[in-house]
Amino acid sequence: MRIRSPAVADLFYPGTSPELRATLERLLAGADETRATAPVKALIVPHAGYVYSGALAARAYARLGARAREIERVVLLGPCHRVWVEGLALPEADAFETPLGIVPVDAALRERVAALPGVTTSAAAHREEHSLEVQLPFLQAVLGPFTVLPLVVGGAGPETVAAVLDAVWDGPETLIVISSDLSHFHEEAVARRLDARTAQRIEQLDTALTGEDACGAAPVNGLLALARRRGLRVDRVGLSDSTGGGGPASRVVGYGAWLLTETAA
């Protein structure tokens, strides 16, 4: 079995199992008790170090509530930070490892999307990519055993991403997770103004977000395009930024989290 080893343990989150479990328990325990009123099909969650965006990510994952017990596989998309890809890239690995254990890559879903337009395979694009990796410990803490379909997204347009998501949408056993931060390196007041506007656009299912709005704009746009067609509702979990974790007010990174529910069903 080819295993993709952790690349950002001890950097973005604790690198030992006991410390990581304790951190996740603390973050999830601090999340509010609000539960979604309809089954959650998809989440948009931030992917910074846990000290910066972990509390907001925990609030989003906590919203799954009892729905978490139904989930058997996760389709996980995030932007590429290290190695650019023109479309979407599957990993060569058969499993992803975190300090909490091994998560198998879903072979059936991988086969289903491998031949779709824009989809390639790239070990290099996944090797050091943190946007997907930081979501896995949260999923391991919240779900039972599950498989994952990890896709790094580069230059893919909304319809290309939407077609991939549509192919693996399936039923309540499948959760879609889009990993994205918001604006980067603005002064605090500017960042908050930009992120508030981006949040409104996400909630209006605007599929024209750019990298200036969100580093995961490409996968977010694809999800929103499909959400529009499928009649999904978008609800904001919250907004935050890196100043909450002690980051400088002169170079702020913004974070947001949303859940999408299948109200039409």
Side-chain angles (χ1 to χ4, degrees), residues 111-131:
E111 183 177 357
R112 197 184 299 178
V113 304
L116 292 177
V119 178
T120 59
T121 299
S122 172
H126 282 269
R127 187 172 296 118
E128 297 184 20
E129 181 52 58
H130 67 270
S131 68

Side-chain angles (χ1 to χ4, degrees), residues 152-225:
V152 173
V153 185
E159 291 307 317
T160 299
V161 176
V164 171
L165 292 176
D166 202 31
V168 295
W169 196 258
D170 292 354
E173 79 289 337
T174 303
L175 175 71
I176 310 295
V177 176
I178 305 297
S179 182
S180 180
D181 292 340
L182 299 180
S183 66
H184 280 55
F185 308 138
H186 297 284
E187 188 272 334
E188 184 177 11
V190 174
R192 291 184 176 179
R193 183 171 67 251
L194 292 173
D195 293 343
R197 175 57 182 152
T198 298
Q200 290 180 337
R201 293 174 64 191
I202 288 173
E203 290 147 22
Q204 294 165 356
L205 303 181
D206 185 342
T207 62
L209 300 178
T210 71
E212 294 296 313
D213 304 312
C215 64
V220 170
N221 286 337
L223 174 63
L224 297 180

